[in-house]
Amino acid sequence: MTAETSVSSGRLVDRDAALSAQQMVEHLVPPRQFAGASLDNYRPDEDHPSQGAAVDAIRAFAGGAQGVGLFRKKAQAAKPGIYLDGGFGVGKTHLLAAAWHQTKGRKYFGTFIEYTALVGALGYAPTVELLKGASLIAIDEFELDDPGDTRLMARLLNELAATGSRIAATSNTPPNALGEGRFAAQDFLREIDSLADKFETLRIDGLDYRRRDAEAHARASDDVAGELAGIAGPTTIDEFDTVLRHLSTVHPSRYVRLVEGLAAIGLTGVHSFGHQTDALRFVAFVDRLYDAQVRIVAQGAPLDSVFPEEMLQGGYRKKYLRAISRLIALTSSGAV
Ligand SMILES: Nc1ncnc2c1ncn2[C@@H]1O[C@H](COP(=O)(O)OP(=O)(O)OP(=O)(O)O)[C@@H](O)[C@H]1O
Ligand SMILES: [Mg+2]
């Protein structure tokens, strides 16, 4: 059953989340949200010069990946890797996708989780075989949470860099980084130790772009089915608790498949989280909705109020704040 036919059931939890290794590889392109991201439509904030500097550095880096023209000389001296570090919503993924679009040749773009899931599905050696010789490997949200996965990726990237591939990565929102994730770059370089000297780190400062305009809030609906009926394209409607239960049975690397092709999802009975694991799974799910630009029409507690204060004050604060920023964007009537 394809994702499209399962949509007709109208329930998110009935959708087919199976993902073959082949489909995983096909997914290694920038998500819909960043299909048109370029260096030209990135608007650097003049109050934060690191943004303009990042654009220049990425232009040079992507030019180096092509190894042609003006940048050839520079490319030979430049490092094969670039790491974009910074707070949420400053445009790291936008810039990573822009670098990908700018690069010619065989290239890949995925989240850290997608790459590790690919190694899990294919095995290590076949993954190297598949990716080697690529002009660019773009990795969004490099995770340092799991030492095993970090080591696996460092080994993979070492091999790929040795084949001449360039690597661009962005920082994930690290746990316990209550500030701006200031130490993420150092952690990253330490963890990928053997690769560290191959990476140039770019620190991007700034405000959450999604909230540049106004202080917004997540909108709650009192007629989910009615609003969904007015949205063109496939939609689903489920109870919040049913979705949470379902998310616990699907590997997060497959959430992308769960939401694929949807225009909007409806959630009823939204309430605040009692358990951190449910909340973190929901955060990962929101990330995939956001990437695919799937609108949310929700009834119950406003979605920007579902993370209780004790969670917001805990080690995953930044992850929750970012999810709130994304939930505000996805529930706004002008979304997508
Ligand atoms: N300076 C900018 N000019 C134009 N668009 C921007 C800029 N910064 C961010 N955006 C847009 O704002 C949205 C959020 O940016 P993006 O997702 O790239 O940020 P991020 O740093 O990856 O954040 P996160 O921590 O949430 O992953 C995207 O739609 C992106 O295209
Ligand atoms: Mg991002």
Side-chain angles (χ1 to χ4, degrees), residues 11-30:
R11 282 170 27 117
L12 187 72
V13 298
D14 291 338
R15 284 170 64 87
D16 182 4
L19 200 58
S20 68
Q22 179 61 32
Q23 286 168 327
M24 286 172 143
V25 175
E26 284 161 14
H27 270 104
L28 291 178
V29 294

PDB file of all heavy atoms in Angstrom, residues 11-30:
ATOM      1  N   ARG A  11      -6.614   8.527   8.752  1.00  0.00           N
ATOM      2  CA  ARG A  11      -5.965   8.507  10.071  1.00  0.00           C
ATOM      3  C   ARG A  11      -4.451   8.414   9.914  1.00  0.00           C
ATOM      4  O   ARG A  11      -3.959   7.582   9.157  1.00  0.00           O
ATOM      5  CB  ARG A  11      -6.477   7.336  10.904  1.00  0.00           C
ATOM      6  CG  ARG A  11      -7.852   7.617  11.492  1.00  0.00           C
ATOM      7  CD  ARG A  11      -8.496   6.388  12.126  1.00  0.00           C
ATOM      8  NE  ARG A  11      -7.585   5.381  12.618  1.00  0.00           N
ATOM      9  CZ  ARG A  11      -7.475   5.013  13.909  1.00  0.00           C
ATOM     10  NH1 ARG A  11      -8.191   5.616  14.835  1.00  0.00           N
ATOM     11  NH2 ARG A  11      -6.651   4.057  14.254  1.00  0.00           N
ATOM     12  N   LEU A  12      -3.771   9.258  10.640  1.00  0.00           N
ATOM     13  CA  LEU A  12      -2.309   9.245  10.593  1.00  0.00           C
ATOM     14  C   LEU A  12      -1.784   7.877  11.007  1.00  0.00           C
ATOM     15  O   LEU A  12      -0.848   7.346  10.416  1.00  0.00           O
ATOM     16  CB  LEU A  12      -1.785  10.334  11.537  1.00  0.00           C
ATOM     17  CG  LEU A  12      -0.310  10.605  11.512  1.00  0.00           C
ATOM     18  CD1 LEU A  12       0.073  11.320  10.230  1.00  0.00           C
ATOM     19  CD2 LEU A  12       0.091  11.456  12.710  1.00  0.00           C
ATOM     20  N   VAL A  13      -2.390   7.309  12.025  1.00  0.00           N
ATOM     21  CA  VAL A  13      -1.862   6.063  12.585  1.00  0.00           C
ATOM     22  C   VAL A  13      -2.060   4.876  11.647  1.00  0.00           C
ATOM     23  O   VAL A  13      -1.472   3.816  11.861  1.00  0.00           O
ATOM     24  CB  VAL A  13      -2.490   5.752  13.971  1.00  0.00           C
ATOM     25  CG1 VAL A  13      -2.128   6.850  14.956  1.00  0.00           C
ATOM     26  CG2 VAL A  13      -3.987   5.564  13.884  1.00  0.00           C
ATOM     27  N   ASP A  14      -2.875   5.023  10.606  1.00  0.00           N
ATOM     28  CA  ASP A  14      -3.063   3.931   9.650  1.00  0.00           C
ATOM     29  C   ASP A  14      -2.122   4.024   8.462  1.00  0.00           C
ATOM     30  O   ASP A  14      -2.136   3.177   7.581  1.00  0.00           O
ATOM     31  CB  ASP A  14      -4.508   3.928   9.115  1.00  0.00           C
ATOM     32  CG  ASP A  14      -5.493   3.537  10.204  1.00  0.00           C
ATOM     33  OD1 ASP A  14      -5.058   2.887  11.180  1.00  0.00           O
ATOM     34  OD2 ASP A  14      -6.677   3.909  10.096  1.00  0.00           O
ATOM     35  N   ARG A  15      -1.319   5.072   8.423  1.00  0.00           N
ATOM     36  CA  ARG A  15      -0.430   5.246   7.276  1.00  0.00           C
ATOM     37  C   ARG A  15       0.741   4.262   7.335  1.00  0.00           C
ATOM     38  O   ARG A  15       1.178   3.878   8.407  1.00  0.00           O
ATOM     39  CB  ARG A  15       0.090   6.689   7.217  1.00  0.00           C
ATOM     40  CG  ARG A  15      -0.973   7.640   6.706  1.00  0.00           C
ATOM     41  CD  ARG A  15      -0.551   9.064   6.886  1.00  0.00           C
ATOM     42  NE  ARG A  15       0.621   9.407   6.099  1.00  0.00           N
ATOM     43  CZ  ARG A  15       0.603   9.822   4.832  1.00  0.00           C
ATOM     44  NH1 ARG A  15      -0.518   9.943   4.201  1.00  0.00           N
ATOM     45  NH2 ARG A  15       1.717  10.131   4.211  1.00  0.00           N
ATOM     46  N   ASP A  16       1.216   3.921   6.162  1.00  0.00           N
ATOM     47  CA  ASP A  16       2.305   2.970   6.065  1.00  0.00           C
ATOM     48  C   ASP A  16       3.630   3.700   6.277  1.00  0.00           C
ATOM     49  O   ASP A  16       3.989   4.567   5.479  1.00  0.00           O
ATOM     50  CB  ASP A  16       2.246   2.358   4.651  1.00  0.00           C
ATOM     51  CG  ASP A  16       3.313   1.311   4.439  1.00  0.00           C
ATOM     52  OD1 ASP A  16       4.044   1.015   5.397  1.00  0.00           O
ATOM     53  OD2 ASP A  16       3.395   0.811   3.308  1.00  0.00           O
ATOM     54  N   ALA A  17       4.334   3.342   7.338  1.00  0.00           N
ATOM     55  CA  ALA A  17       5.589   4.046   7.629  1.00  0.00           C
ATOM     56  C   ALA A  17       6.809   3.234   7.202  1.00  0.00           C
ATOM     57  O   ALA A  17       7.933   3.597   7.522  1.00  0.00           O
ATOM     58  CB  ALA A  17       5.673   4.382   9.111  1.00  0.00           C
ATOM     59  N   ALA A  18       6.568   2.145   6.466  1.00  0.00           N
ATOM     60  CA  ALA A  18       7.707   1.319   6.045  1.00  0.00           C
ATOM     61  C   ALA A  18       8.583   2.107   5.069  1.00  0.00           C
ATOM     62  O   ALA A  18       8.090   2.880   4.258  1.00  0.00           O
ATOM     63  CB  ALA A  18       7.211   0.051   5.380  1.00  0.00           C
ATOM     64  N   LEU A  19       9.874   1.910   5.198  1.00  0.00           N
ATOM     65  CA  LEU A  19      10.811   2.657   4.368  1.00  0.00           C
ATOM     66  C   LEU A  19      11.911   1.682   3.953  1.00  0.00           C
ATOM     67  O   LEU A  19      12.653   1.201   4.800  1.00  0.00           O
ATOM     68  CB  LEU A  19      11.381   3.809   5.214  1.00  0.00           C
ATOM     69  CG  LEU A  19      12.023   5.007   4.543  1.00  0.00           C
ATOM     70  CD1 LEU A  19      11.059   5.692   3.599  1.00  0.00           C
ATOM     71  CD2 LEU A  19      12.488   5.998   5.603  1.00  0.00           C
ATOM     72  N   SER A  20      12.000   1.383   2.675  1.00  0.00           N
ATOM     73  CA  SER A  20      13.051   0.468   2.226  1.00  0.00           C
ATOM     74  C   SER A  20      14.365   1.232   2.153  1.00  0.00           C
ATOM     75  O   SER A  20      14.376   2.464   2.132  1.00  0.00           O
ATOM     76  CB  SER A  20      12.701  -0.100   0.849  1.00  0.00           C
ATOM     77  OG  SER A  20      12.753   0.939  -0.105  1.00  0.00           O
ATOM     78  N   ALA A  21      15.472   0.480   2.072  1.00  0.00           N
ATOM     79  CA  ALA A  21      16.781   1.134   1.972  1.00  0.00           C
ATOM     80  C   ALA A  21      16.810   2.035   0.738  1.00  0.00           C
ATOM     81  O   ALA A  21      17.341   3.149   0.763  1.00  0.00           O
ATOM     82  CB  ALA A  21      17.888   0.098   1.931  1.00  0.00           C
ATOM     83  N   GLN A  22      16.210   1.544  -0.339  1.00  0.00           N
ATOM     84  CA  GLN A  22      16.161   2.322  -1.579  1.00  0.00           C
ATOM     85  C   GLN A  22      15.429   3.652  -1.357  1.00  0.00           C
ATOM     86  O   GLN A  22      15.879   4.717  -1.782  1.00  0.00           O
ATOM     87  CB  GLN A  22      15.449   1.474  -2.658  1.00  0.00           C
ATOM     88  CG  GLN A  22      15.295   2.155  -4.008  1.00  0.00           C
ATOM     89  CD  GLN A  22      16.650   2.506  -4.612  1.00  0.00           C
ATOM     90  OE1 GLN A  22      17.624   1.790  -4.395  1.00  0.00           O
ATOM     91  NE2 GLN A  22      16.719   3.628  -5.320  1.00  0.00           N
ATOM     92  N   GLN A  23      14.286   3.580  -0.657  1.00  0.00           N
ATOM     93  CA  GLN A  23      13.527   4.810  -0.384  1.00  0.00           C
ATOM     94  C   GLN A  23      14.310   5.742   0.524  1.00  0.00           C
ATOM     95  O   GLN A  23      14.246   6.962   0.392  1.00  0.00           O
ATOM     96  CB  GLN A  23      12.184   4.458   0.263  1.00  0.00           C
ATOM     97  CG  GLN A  23      11.194   3.876  -0.729  1.00  0.00           C
ATOM     98  CD  GLN A  23       9.996   3.256  -0.032  1.00  0.00           C
ATOM     99  OE1 GLN A  23      10.119   2.709   1.070  1.00  0.00           O
ATOM    100  NE2 GLN A  23       8.844   3.343  -0.655  1.00  0.00           N
ATOM    101  N   MET A  24      15.068   5.145   1.470  1.00  0.00           N
ATOM    102  CA  MET A  24      15.876   5.989   2.355  1.00  0.00           C
ATOM    103  C   MET A  24      16.876   6.803   1.532  1.00  0.00           C
ATOM    104  O   MET A  24      17.094   7.977   1.784  1.00  0.00           O
ATOM    105  CB  MET A  24      16.653   5.126   3.349  1.00  0.00           C
ATOM    106  CG  MET A  24      15.809   4.552   4.438  1.00  0.00           C
ATOM    107  SD  MET A  24      16.820   3.398   5.369  1.00  0.00           S
ATOM    108  CE  MET A  24      16.231   3.696   6.981  1.00  0.00           C
ATOM    109  N   VAL A  25      17.472   6.150   0.545  1.00  0.00           N
ATOM    110  CA  VAL A  25      18.452   6.841  -0.292  1.00  0.00           C
ATOM    111  C   VAL A  25      17.762   7.935  -1.102  1.00  0.00           C
ATOM    112  O   VAL A  25      18.264   9.060  -1.214  1.00  0.00           O
ATOM    113  CB  VAL A  25      19.179   5.844  -1.224  1.00  0.00           C
ATOM    114  CG1 VAL A  25      20.104   6.575  -2.174  1.00  0.00           C
ATOM    115  CG2 VAL A  25      19.945   4.823  -0.399  1.00  0.00           C
ATOM    116  N   GLU A  26      16.569   7.618  -1.626  1.00  0.00           N
ATOM    117  CA  GLU A  26      15.836   8.625  -2.403  1.00  0.00           C
ATOM    118  C   GLU A  26      15.460   9.844  -1.558  1.00  0.00           C
ATOM    119  O   GLU A  26      15.275  10.940  -2.068  1.00  0.00           O
ATOM    120  CB  GLU A  26      14.563   8.008  -3.002  1.00  0.00           C
ATOM    121  CG  GLU A  26      14.861   7.123  -4.206  1.00  0.00           C
ATOM    122  CD  GLU A  26      13.722   6.170  -4.530  1.00  0.00           C
ATOM    123  OE1 GLU A  26      12.610   6.360  -4.001  1.00  0.00           O
ATOM    124  OE2 GLU A  26      13.964   5.229  -5.305  1.00  0.00           O
ATOM    125  N   HIS A  27      15.342   9.616  -0.240  1.00  0.00           N
ATOM    126  CA  HIS A  27      14.991  10.722   0.655  1.00  0.00           C
ATOM    127  C   HIS A  27      16.175  11.633   0.964  1.00  0.00           C
ATOM    128  O   HIS A  27      16.011  12.633   1.662  1.00  0.00           O
ATOM    129  CB  HIS A  27      14.439  10.178   1.977  1.00  0.00           C
ATOM    130  CG  HIS A  27      12.957   9.986   1.956  1.00  0.00           C
ATOM    131  ND1 HIS A  27      12.377   8.749   1.839  1.00  0.00           N
ATOM    132  CD2 HIS A  27      11.944  10.868   2.007  1.00  0.00           C
ATOM    133  CE1 HIS A  27      11.062   8.889   1.827  1.00  0.00           C
ATOM    134  NE2 HIS A  27      10.770  10.160   1.929  1.00  0.00           N
ATOM    135  N   LEU A  28      17.363  11.267   0.502  1.00  0.00           N
ATOM    136  CA  LEU A  28      18.542  12.065   0.857  1.00  0.00           C
ATOM    137  C   LEU A  28      18.671  13.308  -0.033  1.00  0.00           C
ATOM    138  O   LEU A  28      19.641  13.490  -0.769  1.00  0.00           O
ATOM    139  CB  LEU A  28      19.811  11.202   0.821  1.00  0.00           C
ATOM    140  CG  LEU A  28      19.887  10.141   1.932  1.00  0.00           C
ATOM    141  CD1 LEU A  28      21.153   9.296   1.782  1.00  0.00           C
ATOM    142  CD2 LEU A  28      19.855  10.777   3.323  1.00  0.00           C
ATOM    143  N   VAL A  29      17.643  14.142   0.047  1.00  0.00           N
ATOM    144  CA  VAL A  29      17.606  15.449  -0.636  1.00  0.00           C
ATOM    145  C   VAL A  29      17.012  16.440   0.364  1.00  0.00           C
ATOM    146  O   VAL A  29      16.373  16.018   1.325  1.00  0.00           O
ATOM    147  CB  VAL A  29      16.733  15.411  -1.915  1.00  0.00           C
ATOM    148  CG1 VAL A  29      17.341  14.494  -2.970  1.00  0.00           C
ATOM    149  CG2 VAL A  29      15.315  14.970  -1.582  1.00  0.00           C
ATOM    150  N   PRO A  30      17.185  17.743   0.148  1.00  0.00           N
ATOM    151  CA  PRO A  30      16.618  18.687   1.125  1.00  0.00           C
ATOM    152  C   PRO A  30      15.097  18.548   1.200  1.00  0.00           C
ATOM    153  O   PRO A  30      14.440  18.320   0.184  1.00  0.00           O
ATOM    154  CB  PRO A  30      16.999  20.057   0.552  1.00  0.00           C
ATOM    155  CG  PRO A  30      18.180  19.806  -0.309  1.00  0.00           C
ATOM    156  CD  PRO A  30      17.958  18.434  -0.894  1.00  0.00           C
TER     157      PRO A  30
END
